[in-house]
Amino acid sequence: MQNLLFSLFLVVYILTLLGNGAIVCAVKWDKQLHTPMYILLGNFAFLEICYVSSTVPNLLANFLSETKTISFSGCFLQLYFYYSLGTAECFFLSVMAYDLYLAICHPLHYPTIMTGGFCAILISACWVGGFLYYPVPIILISQQSFCGPNLIDHFACEEGPLLGLVCVPAPITESICYTFNSILILGSLFPIVGSYTLVLRAVLHIPSGGGRWKAFSTCGSHLMVVSLFYGSLMAIFVCPSSGNPAEMKKIVTLGYSVATPLLNPLIYSLRNKDMKNALRKVLQGLKIS
């Protein structure tokens, strides 16, 4: 069974790297894609490569290992990068929803608002904010006393399984972690919902039936990925944990840590005509070389 799962996750990991890596290369090499929207997509694709790489390689190693061990510092290092990159993804999804709102609802003002400098500020804020948001909860968890047998019933180091190993209950630390998680998830979700609501309202006023269907298709696919990502996050971090068995938590965690990085290239970029043309040029350039 572990060999089968290793093969499955290895294929998913490779496809995720290839899909997101193709987007990064296309945005970097095609000058026609050097616009705020595609620069955001390129950074988002690179983020997905880092995000899935924070957990899946260790997961693959555990499938082949008999001991399945991780050091104390390695566990918290994985926790930091895993949560920081996930936080940056929430920020990027909010910024990309805002960019779509400006492009559809205010097309004439879009070039003056979403300038290259403003786009660079937003991208920097997403990266820096992602890595500065979670150190406090992670440091608080690392200061706890952990009792044996120190078995983490999960495929990655997450705060829930780690808090379950502390010798003495730490309600203050748990409350702080819950507060940080809730503020992040709900605080980034509301701008996304608001942006897509305004976008869909604007789409309804498009006179062309074909244009209206195309816009609905694009927004619907975006919302599908957002729903999968945030639905999984809320099931784990916002909803009470008493009703979530350990096995169900692992499956739900796979939704936002493995499935969405695989789907995002298909939904956000590879269905885009300009992106497909850029990828075609990149492939042709590789053949010529």
Side-chain angles (χ1 to χ4, degrees):
M1 188 65 181
Q2 292 195 49
N3 291 332
L4 175 63
L5 290 174
F6 172 83
S7 302
L8 174 63
F9 281 101
L10 179 61
V11 170
V12 171
Y13 182 55
I14 293 174
L15 291 176
T16 302
L17 295 183
L18 290 176
N20 288 286
I23 294 169
V24 173
C25 293
V27 173
K28 180 180 180 180
W29 292 339
D30 193 332
K31 293 183 179 180
Q32 292 183 351
L33 300 184
H34 291 180
T35 61
M37 180 179 74
Y38 292 110
I39 292 174
L40 283 170
L41 285 174
N43 276 267
F44 187 66
F46 178 71
L47 169 67
E48 293 291 56
I49 292 175
C50 299
Y51 183 50
V52 75
S53 297
S54 66
T55 56
V56 174
N58 186 65
L59 171 64
L60 294 174
N62 284 336
F63 280 133
L64 302 178
S65 173
E66 292 294 332
T67 57
K68 309 184 193 306
T69 59
I70 187 170
S71 65
F72 182 86
S73 58
C75 181
F76 279 91
L77 191 63
Q78 183 191 58
L79 176 66
Y80 173 69
F81 280 102
Y82 182 41
Y83 275 38
S84 296
L85 292 167
T87 301
E89 180 162 351
C90 291
F91 293 157
F92 266 105
L93 287 172
S94 299
V95 170
M96 291 164 65
Y98 174 67
D99 178 75
L100 182 66
Y101 158 74
L102 288 178
I104 293 180
C105 298
H106 301 284
L108 298 179
H109 296 98
Y110 180 84
T112 58
I113 297 176
M114 190 59 70
T115 61
F118 184 55
C119 179
I121 292 174
L122 291 176
I123 291 173
S124 301
C126 290
W127 283 107
V128 175
F131 281 89
L132 292 181
Y133 187 79
Y134 261 104
V136 171
I138 292 175
I139 290 174
L140 290 176
I141 297 174
S142 67
Q143 298 303 312
Q144 304 299 315
S145 298
F146 295 92
C147 298
N150 289 340
L151 294 176
I152 302 174
D153 189 15
H154 211 291
F155 64 85
C157 289
E158 282 201 344
E159 64 180 35
L162 285 173
L163 286 172
L165 297 178
V166 298
C167 300
V168 180
I172 297 178
T173 300
E174 292 181 6
S175 298
I176 292 174
C177 292
Y178 179 83
T179 302
F180 269 72
N181 294 332
S182 300
I183 292 175
L184 169 66
I185 295 172
L186 298 178
S188 60
L189 180 60
F190 285 145
I192 294 174
V193 173
S195 296
Y196 279 109
T197 300
L198 295 174
V199 167
L200 291 174
R201 189 178 69 175
V203 167
L204 292 175
H205 293 86
I206 297 177
S208 169
R212 190 161 53 244
W213 168 250
K214 183 179 180 180
F216 266 122
S217 176
T218 301
C219 293
S221 59
H222 288 195
L223 286 173
M224 181 182 70
V225 175
V226 170
S227 299
L228 174 63
F229 182 72
Y230 277 93
S232 303
L233 288 179
M234 294 181 71
I236 295 294
F237 297 110
V238 178
C239 298
S241 59
S242 57
N244 295 324
E247 295 301 320
M248 182 58 66
K249 286 183 178 181
K250 297 175 191 175
I251 296 174
V252 173
T253 302
L254 290 174
Y256 62 82
S257 63
V258 178
T260 53
L262 174 65
L263 293 176
N264 281 335
L266 300 173
I267 298 301
Y268 281 96
S269 303
L270 300 184
R271 296 180 61 200
N272 184 288
K273 183 178 179 181
D274 294 333
M275 183 63 70
K276 287 192 289 188
N277 291 335
L279 290 173
R280 196 174 294 114
K281 292 179 182 178
V282 171
L283 293 176
Q284 290 174 351
L286 291 175
K287 290 180 181 179
I288 294 173
S289 300

